[in-house]
Amino acid sequence: MDKQRLVQTAQALVAEGKGILAADESSGTIKRRFDSINVESTEGSRRNYREMLFRTAGVNEFLSGVILFDETIRQDAADGTSMVKVLADQGIIPGIKVDKGTVPLPEAPDELVTEGLDGLRDRLKEYNDLGAGFTKWRAVIGISDETPTSYSLATNAHALARFAALSQEAGLVPIVEPEVLRDGDHDIDRCFEVTEETLREVFDQLAQQKVLLEGMLLKPSMVISGGSAGKRADPREVAERTIECFKRTLPASVPGIVFLSGGEPDDSVTANLNALNQQAAAANAPWEFSFSFGRSLQGAPLAAWAGKAENTEAAALAFYTRAKLTGAARKGAA
Ligand code: 13P
C-alpha cells in the first residue's frame, strides 16, 4: 500500500474551499436526467454535456476532483483531448465510480445490496493506468419502520470495506458512500439512529479489513428529516445532529467528509453545508466538511443546457454559479 500517495490524494480532495463534482451517473441514471429535459442520451450527447461541465472556466477554483463513469474515463472531448486530460490540466483529480449498482438483497424485502466486487482488482489497475486518483462505491440504505435490517447493514458494510481495501491496494483513495436515503416522512431522530447504526457497522468493517483511515474519504448523507416529513429540521439543527452523530461513530483520522446531496433542494443543501462549516470549529469537529454533489451541482446547468449547443455558455454560467456558492458553503461563508 502506497500510504503517502493515498494520504496526499485524500488531503488534496478536501483542500480548503474545494470539493468534488459527482458526474458518474450510470447509463440508466443519465438517461433519466436527460429524459427530464427531453434530450436523447447518446454517447455524443453525454460527451457534450459533460465536456461543458468540465471546461467551465474558473470552476477549478472550487473543484478538487470529478467522479467519472466508465464511459467518460475512456472518452475524448470534441477536439480529441481525453476527458481525463481536460480535468488533470486544470489541477482537478479524476476519479471513477467502480460499483455496478444495486440489486435486491435476498430474503430482505425492499432492501438492496451493491454489486461489483468480482474482478475489481483488475479493473482498479486499469483505472489507475487511465489516470484515476480515487474511486467511489455507493451502498443504499432506506428508512422505513422495518428497515434497515442489521442483515442489510452488515452485507453492505462488508462490500464497502472490500472495495476500500482493494482501492487502497491499487493506490486509489476510496470514497466510501453509505447513502441513507431521504425518502420517507421520518423525523430527524430516526435519521440520526439509522445513520449512527450504519456508520458503526461501516467503520467496524473498515477496521477489520485493514483500511487506512487517513487515506480514505467518507461520503455520507447529512442527518436530516425525511423528504416528506411534515416539519423539517432547519440547517442549524441538521448541522448539530450531524456533528453529534459523527462524533459518536467516526474516527478523527478520517481526513474528510464529502457529503452527497441526495435529492435535497439546492438551497437547503447549500444552507446545511454552510451551517456544518460554521459550527465545525466551535464543536471541535476534526474533519473537513466538504461535498461530492451530483444533483445539487448539476440541476441548474442541466436545465439551462437542454441539449442545445447554443446554450453552452448559459449552462456553464449556471454551473459556475452553483459551484461558487457550494465552495462558499464549504467554508461556512455562503
Ligand atoms: P447526489 O449529490 O445527486 O446525491 O449524487 C451524489 C452521488 O454520487 C451519488 O452516488
Side-chain angles (χ1 to χ4, degrees):
M1 192 196 290
D2 185 344
K3 290 189 183 173
Q4 201 185 341
R5 176 185 170 190
L6 292 169
V7 170
Q8 269 174 8
T9 306
Q11 286 176 355
L13 286 169
V14 290
E16 196 186 340
K18 292 188 181 183
I20 297 171
L21 165 68
D24 60 330
E25 298 83 4
S26 63
S27 311
T29 302
I30 194 77
K31 182 179 180 312
R32 281 200 303 283
R33 303 272 191 270
F34 279 17
D35 284 348
S36 74
I37 52 164
N38 293 315
V39 172
E40 192 187 349
S41 180
T42 64
E43 190 184 343
S45 62
R46 294 190 290 270
R47 197 266 319 273
N48 292 341
Y49 170 66
R50 287 172 169 152
E51 185 174 352
M52 176 276 293
L53 296 176
F54 302 168
R55 286 199 192 275
T56 293
V59 85
N60 59 344
E61 208 185 315
F62 317 111
L63 294 185
S64 54
V66 173
I67 317 177
L68 304 171
F69 188 59
D70 181 77
E71 174 182 84
T72 323
I73 200 169
R74 304 169 191 283
Q75 207 169 30
D76 289 340
D79 68 359
T81 313
S82 75
M83 294 287 225
V84 165
K85 189 167 182 326
V86 168
L87 295 172
D89 284 352
Q90 303 175 70
I92 297 174
I93 305 172
I96 180 78
K97 168 191 174 75
V98 302
D99 69 70
K100 296 206 163 180
T102 55
V103 293
L105 184 65
E107 298 299 318
D110 301 327
E111 293 193 288
L112 302 169
V113 66
T114 305
E115 294 196 318
L117 289 170
D118 288 352
L120 182 57
R121 179 176 267 143
D122 291 338
R123 288 200 289 132
L124 291 168
K125 275 199 200 92
E126 192 194 3
Y127 288 139
N128 183 52
D129 293 345
L130 286 167
F134 68 102
T135 53
K136 182 193 102 172
W137 178 288
R138 173 176 178 254
V140 178
I141 312 296
I143 301 184
S144 72
D145 290 346
E146 290 79 36
T147 63
T149 60
S150 55
Y151 161 40
S152 98
L153 291 181
T155 313
N156 276 294
H158 187 266
L160 276 167
R162 288 268 290 135
F163 140 79
L166 284 163
S167 292
Q168 291 191 334
E169 181 191 77
L172 302 171
V173 169
I175 295 192
V176 173
E177 181 181 8
E179 175 170 3
V180 174
L181 297 176
R182 75 193 278 280
D183 305 344
D185 60 4
H186 52 270
D187 61 15
I188 193 168
D189 292 336
R190 176 75 179 130
C191 180
F192 184 106
E193 181 180 83
V194 170
T195 306
E196 180 179 359
E197 210 182 336
T198 301
L199 293 178
R200 265 194 217 296
E201 193 71 38
V202 168
F203 279 89
D204 187 27
Q205 279 297 324
L206 291 169
Q208 284 194 42
Q209 299 190 41
K210 305 186 187 306
V211 172
L212 178 75
L213 299 180
E214 293 85 344
M216 63 158 277
L217 297 172
L218 179 72
K219 176 165 174 167
S221 326
M222 296 173 192
V223 175
I224 54 173
S225 318
S228 50
K231 182 179 165 296
R232 303 198 69 220
D234 65 12
R236 189 190 46 80
E237 188 178 1
V238 167
E240 273 172 21
R241 303 305 307 277
T242 302
I243 293 172
E244 182 190 353
C245 185
F246 288 177
K247 281 191 167 176
R248 282 193 193 173
T249 51
L250 292 194
S253 48
V254 175
I257 315 296
V258 289
F259 290 101
L260 57 91
S261 61
E264 273 284 293
D266 287 354
D267 53 351
S268 114
V269 171
T270 309
N272 289 339
L273 181 63
N274 196 51
L276 273 155
N277 278 293
Q278 285 179 345
Q279 290 184 22
N284 288 319
W287 319 276
E288 293 293 329
F289 287 140
S290 186
F291 58 90
S292 172
F293 292 163
R295 280 163 286 182
S296 173
L297 284 170
Q298 292 189 54
L302 183 72
W305 176 64
K308 298 194 176 73
E310 67 261 31
N311 293 339
T312 301
E313 218 173 298
L317 179 61
F319 180 48
Y320 182 85
T321 306
R322 279 301 303 153
K324 186 175 179 186
L325 193 56
T326 306
R330 194 240 172 283
K331 293 193 267 194

